[in-house]
Amino acid sequence: MNSFLERLTLVIHWIAFLITLFFVYGMWGLEGSGDTWAEFLVAIVIVLIPNTIGWLIKYVLTGNSDYFPFK
């Protein structure tokens, strides 16, 4: 059961990481975004939210503290 839980949380973390990459691509493509530092910082926080949630799920359930899923 433990290895199943580790694999499941790794899949969740990878999905969250791919969503993060999709958000980066989407934010980069928006024209007129990032005109100010505040908008840029908000965009960075929004982009990092999916991977952070995936990492938190993985960390709470398995104790693995690697932020990136490919480590």
Side-chain angles (χ1 to χ4, degrees), residues 4-53:
F4 171 75
L5 188 60
E6 288 178 13
R7 288 193 315 263
L8 179 64
T9 57
L10 184 61
V11 168
I12 291 169
H13 195 184
W14 266 106
I15 290 170
F17 182 73
L18 293 174
I19 291 171
T20 297
L21 292 180
F22 179 75
F23 280 4
V24 167
Y25 179 74
M27 291 285 189
W28 196 351
L30 293 177
E31 296 202 18
S33 65
D35 292 337
T36 66
W37 277 103
E39 290 177 5
F40 180 71
L41 292 175
V42 167
I44 288 175
V45 168
I46 290 171
V47 163
L48 290 178
I49 286 174
N51 193 42
T52 303
I53 291 172

Side-chain angles (χ1 to χ4, degrees), residues 6 9-10 13 51-52 54-71:
E6 288 178 13
T9 57
L10 184 61
H13 195 184
N51 193 42
T52 303
W55 171 78
L56 280 173
I57 292 169
K58 184 172 131 184
Y59 178 71
V60 167
L61 295 177
T62 64
N64 186 345
S65 62
D66 294 333
Y67 185 73
F68 295 107
F70 46 82
K71 274 188 149 183

